[in-house]
Amino acid sequence: MTLPTKLSVLRIVLTFLVMACLFAPGGAAKAAALALFLAAGFTDWLDGYLARRWRQTSPLGALLDPIADKVLVLGTFLAFVQLRLVPAWMVLVIALREFLITGIRLYAAGRRLVLPAAAEGKQKTVSQMVAIIVILAVLVIRELPGAAWHSDRAQALMRWAVASGLWVAVILTVVSGVAFFWRHRAVLRDVVGARS
């Protein structure tokens, strides 16, 4: 297993640590969740960079990298839903897109086809991670002492930041999903034909 692939595995492990910190009480736990999520996000950039620089790309790495991204994003979003921090329907839209595309990727991999991530898919992932970082930052800020952080204006600004980040992530998720299905419509026809 190459180092970039090991970093993808590490990202999955970090996801569970982030979720554990989210359910732990106190500001220190929320700050740890933010720090761990940032570290996981860094591994996402680093494994791609090292794979290209060292020419260590592989079918396993190409498949595991987006799966690790999905585990990180969906695991954290599901924790947010459980904590009633985000609307469940938004996470459902994101989850449906990710599960459908992951299923198609796995089907293609079984036929020795690799469906690499496209630019809009990367933008979608970045928007989701930014939304999560905003939510985690808000959680940390709410634990800080001082009346300024708990004023009506500050609370309204934080709610706006969270809602804006979520809407951008959902919209880009839908757009990238439509683009993926259109680009790989031949594979989709193959899937439908195989099941009929």
Side-chain angles (χ1 to χ4, degrees), residues 55 144 153:
R55 297 181 181 178
L144 295 175
R153 184 175 181 179

Side-chain angles (χ1 to χ4, degrees), residues 44-131:
D44 182 30
W45 172 83
L46 184 61
D47 65 11
Y49 172 78
L50 292 178
R52 290 187 300 271
R53 185 176 179 85
W54 294 348
R55 297 181 181 178
Q56 291 186 342
T57 57
S58 66
L60 175 62
L63 182 64
L64 189 59
D65 178 56
I67 289 176
D69 291 343
K70 290 169 178 54
V71 170
L72 175 63
V73 169
L74 291 179
T76 308
F77 270 132
L78 289 173
F80 288 160
V81 171
Q82 187 68 25
L83 293 168
R84 298 184 178 180
L85 297 171
V86 302
W89 73 265
M90 285 186 160
V91 178
L92 181 61
V93 169
I94 293 172
L96 283 174
R97 185 266 187 205
E98 304 300 355
F99 285 134
L100 285 172
I101 290 181
T102 298
I104 293 169
R105 287 185 189 278
L106 290 173
Y107 175 83
R111 295 182 169 245
R112 300 181 182 273
L113 294 173
V114 176
L115 306 181
E120 62 270 9
K122 294 288 187 182
Q123 292 163 1
K124 173 269 305 178
T125 300
V126 169
S127 72
Q128 292 173 352
M129 288 189 171
V130 168

Side-chain angles (χ1 to χ4, degrees), residues 97-98 101 105 116-128 168-169 171-184:
R97 185 266 187 205
E98 304 300 355
I101 290 181
R105 287 185 189 278
E120 62 270 9
K122 294 288 187 182
Q123 292 163 1
K124 173 269 305 178
T125 300
V126 169
S127 72
Q128 292 173 352
V168 170
I171 290 169
L172 289 181
T173 295
V174 172
V175 169
S176 67
V178 171
F180 178 91
F181 289 128
W182 177 254
R183 184 181 304 106
H184 300 297

Side-chain angles (χ1 to χ4, degrees), residues 1-44:
M1 186 181 293
T2 64
L3 179 57
T5 303
K6 289 178 181 178
L7 288 172
S8 295
V9 174
L10 175 62
R11 189 152 66 255
I12 295 173
V13 174
L14 289 174
T15 300
F16 292 101
L17 295 177
V18 170
M19 295 172 69
C21 290
L22 280 172
F23 288 106
K30 302 303 183 290
L34 174 58
L36 288 168
F37 187 85
L38 290 172
F42 177 71
T43 68
D44 182 30

